[in-house]
Amino acid sequence: MMVQARRKTEELAAKRREREAELQSLATDYHAATMMAEATVEEAERQAAELIAAAKQNAEAAVEDAKETVLKMLATGETRKGIAELLDVSVSYVRSIDVAASKTSKPGSGSGDTGAAGSEEGRSVGVVAGHEGSDH
């Protein structure tokens, strides 16, 4: 009887060890899968951050190009108001580009252009087609 009882106990213990080994293997698979998921998300977030940074740099360059275009338009003799209407932006936005360019190209000089465009802007409300300028 003792021999049979020992055999039965050993069989049950062997089955339990097999189950434990399978559970450990499955737990390892689980942890590997969750770690892979986290790594995938972290890599995607890193790539997204790089993409956003590059997009912001490109956008800044495009904004500078747009401002240069406004300056070229001003150089043709067109008024600030005329340029603002043509571009569907506020006169104050065009003025801010003009003033900023004047300050960087003529350090220590006054406010720059005070000719006909200045008097024209005095009559303007500073907003064209609903745009406020600060968001352009």
Side-chain angles (χ1 to χ4, degrees), residues 33-78:
T34 58
M35 291 171 71
M36 178 61 89
E38 289 174 7
T40 300
V41 170
E42 288 173 3
E43 177 62 14
E45 288 173 345
R46 185 194 63 75
Q47 289 177 357
E50 287 178 4
L51 209 66
I52 290 169
K56 285 181 179 180
Q57 274 187 327
N58 292 341
E60 287 176 20
V63 167
E64 289 306 313
D65 288 347
K67 289 178 181 179
E68 284 298 318
T69 301
V70 170
L71 292 174
K72 289 176 184 176
M73 293 172 86
L74 286 165
T76 69
E78 181 62 47

Side-chain angles (χ1 to χ4, degrees), residues 24-136:
Q24 280 185 337
S25 176
L26 291 171
T28 300
D29 293 348
Y30 170 85
H31 289 297
T34 58
M35 291 171 71
M36 178 61 89
E38 289 174 7
T40 300
V41 170
E42 288 173 3
E43 177 62 14
E45 288 173 345
R46 185 194 63 75
Q47 289 177 357
E50 287 178 4
L51 209 66
I52 290 169
K56 285 181 179 180
Q57 274 187 327
N58 292 341
E60 287 176 20
V63 167
E64 289 306 313
D65 288 347
K67 289 178 181 179
E68 284 298 318
T69 301
V70 170
L71 292 174
K72 289 176 184 176
M73 293 172 86
L74 286 165
T76 69
E78 181 62 47
T79 64
R80 291 174 179 170
K81 182 178 179 186
I83 293 169
E85 288 173 353
L86 186 63
L87 300 178
D88 193 29
V89 297
S90 69
V91 174
S92 63
Y93 175 69
V94 175
R95 181 185 317 112
S96 71
I97 294 170
D98 192 14
V99 169
S102 296
K103 286 181 180 177
T104 58
S105 65
K106 301 176 191 174
S109 70
S111 63
D113 180 41
T114 56
S119 62
E120 173 188 2
E121 286 173 291
R123 294 187 307 269
S124 154
V125 294
V127 176
V128 176
H131 292 284
E132 304 221 1
S134 63
D135 59 345
H136 292 281

